[in-house]
């Protein structure tokens, strides 16, 4: 937490929250990155934090949204939207009316399309700057925020951005606190009306849960522990590969085994 003198008094922060999906059970829950965004907003001294959700209101989604109220909030603003609606116009109108200094959101939703484009489209419509992969807010002084952006392999980059701005949090952001049952049940939803834009293209899509594919193990050829660690931490990159054409299955299998022996996979 930063000293109170580093933060602008009366800093208005709006956190966009969504209904998440448990990766194993598929049950509705608070989204992990959105909860990290809420935790990040709570760490800002002298900041007035508001929660905003745009979507359908039903029993499952309400139970999931109460997980955010259990982090120490008395109310959550709800823009009721039917299933399959484009929430961009409703969010843009609500943010334009309230004019917060900082808008925090996750990089992508855990349900629905999950393309990660909403923050960028929202920033384009409002004409605000956007910073992705936020790890921390170091200070806010005279309308300029000093941010710490997360980069691959644990690296960090310090940026300055003039407010108002939109930021998306990374998994490197602070771990969210546990949701308290009592405040979560006592919290209230403040429902407001907003424009409804039906996404006809999304309604025609067929959606099914995505399953992570297993990663192929690599043979690490390194003499020192430092080289082995660098090889294990490096991201996979596309290689030159080879394509076999006009061969019989037996010839193709023989060629594959030959390549594997040359690469040292088979001996």
């Amino acid at each position: 937490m930063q000293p109170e003198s580093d933060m602008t008094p009366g800093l208005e922060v709006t956190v966009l929250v969504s209904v998440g999906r448990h990766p194993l059970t598929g049950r509705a829950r608070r989204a992990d990155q959105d909860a990290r965004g809420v935790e990040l907003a709570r760490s800002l001294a002298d900041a007035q934090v508001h929660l905003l959700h745009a979507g359908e209101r039903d029993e499952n989604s309400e139970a999931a949204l109460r997980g955010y109220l259990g982090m120490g909030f008395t109310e959550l603003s709800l823009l009721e939207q039917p299933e399959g609606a484009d929430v961009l116009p409703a969010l843009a109108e609500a943010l334009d009316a309230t004019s917060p200094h900082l808008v925090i959101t996750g990089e992508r939703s855990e349900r629905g399309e999950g393309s990660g484009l909403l923050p960028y489209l929202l920033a384009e419509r409002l004409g605000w700057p956007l910073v992705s992969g936020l790890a921390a807010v170091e200070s806010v002084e005279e309308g300029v925020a000093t941010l710490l952006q997360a980069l691959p392999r644990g690296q960090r980059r310090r940026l300055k951005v003039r407010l108002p701005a939109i930021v998306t949090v990374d998994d490197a952001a602070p771990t969210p606190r546990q949701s308290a049952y009592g405040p979560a049940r006592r919290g209230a939803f403040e429902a407001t009306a907003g424009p409804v834009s039906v996404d006809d293209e999304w309604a025609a899509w067929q959606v099914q849960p995505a399953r992570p594919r297993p990663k192929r193990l690599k043979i690490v050829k390194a003499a020192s522990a430092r080289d082995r660690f660098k090889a294990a931490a490096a991201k996979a990159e596309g290689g030159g590969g080879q394509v076999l054409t006009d061969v019989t299955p037996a010839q193709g299998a023989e060629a594959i085994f030959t390549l594997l022996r040359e690469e040292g996979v088979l001996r």
Side-chain angles (χ1 to χ4, degrees), residues 16 54 79 81 85-96 117-126 166 195-197 199:
L16 304 184
L79 296 174
Q81 299 283 299
D86 184 5
V87 299
L88 177 63
L91 288 175
E93 181 178 291
L95 294 176
D96 187 52
L117 290 176
L118 179 61
Y120 295 90
L121 297 174
L122 197 57
E124 181 182 17
R125 176 166 295 199
L126 295 174
I166 298 177
V196 177
S197 177
D199 192 346

Side-chain angles (χ1 to χ4, degrees), residues 212-246:
R213 297 182 179 181
K215 297 182 179 179
R216 179 178 296 179
L217 297 178
K218 298 188 300 182
I219 303 299
V220 179
K221 299 179 180 179
S224 65
R226 178 177 179 273
D227 294 337
R228 290 195 297 270
F229 177 78
K230 289 178 61 177
K235 291 187 176 181
E237 298 180 358
Q242 301 183 26
V243 179
L244 302 177
T245 58
D246 298 331

Side-chain angles (χ1 to χ4, degrees), residues 59-249:
E59 183 178 353
N60 292 332
S61 62
E62 183 172 330
L65 293 175
R66 288 193 177 278
Y68 299 107
L69 292 172
M71 298 177 68
F73 295 89
T74 58
E75 64 178 14
L76 182 149
S77 298
L78 177 63
L79 296 174
E80 295 191 39
Q81 299 283 299
E83 183 179 2
D86 184 5
V87 299
L88 177 63
L91 288 175
E93 181 178 291
L95 294 176
D96 187 52
T98 56
S99 298
H101 299 107
L102 187 64
V103 176
I104 303 177
T105 180
E107 290 189 332
R108 60 179 52 84
S109 63
E110 298 177 357
R111 286 173 170 259
E113 186 176 354
S115 64
L117 290 176
L118 179 61
Y120 295 90
L121 297 174
L122 197 57
E124 181 182 17
R125 176 166 295 199
L126 295 174
W128 295 358
L130 181 141
V131 177
S132 62
L134 187 69
V137 177
E138 293 189 334
S139 64
V140 179
E141 296 178 347
E142 299 180 357
V144 177
T146 302
L147 311 175
L148 205 61
Q149 186 183 41
L151 299 177
R153 301 185 183 180
Q155 301 180 74
R156 297 290 185 268
R157 177 167 55 190
R158 183 172 287 105
L159 301 172
K160 290 184 179 291
V161 60
R162 182 165 294 279
L163 304 181
I166 298 177
V167 296
T168 65
V169 297
D170 187 79
D171 292 338
T175 302
R177 68 191 65 190
Q178 185 176 1
S179 178
Y181 180 79
R185 300 305 303 174
R186 291 192 297 267
F189 292 98
E190 182 183 355
T192 57
V196 177
S197 177
V198 180
D199 192 346
D200 297 329
E201 295 182 359
W202 167 254
W205 289 5
Q206 295 182 356
V207 182
Q208 63 183 13
R211 299 184 180 275
R213 297 182 179 181
K215 297 182 179 179
R216 179 178 296 179
L217 297 178
K218 298 188 300 182
I219 303 299
V220 179
K221 299 179 180 179
S224 65
R226 178 177 179 273
D227 294 337
R228 290 195 297 270
F229 177 78
K230 289 178 61 177
K235 291 187 176 181
E237 298 180 358
Q242 301 183 26
V243 179
L244 302 177
T245 58
D246 298 331
V247 295
T248 63

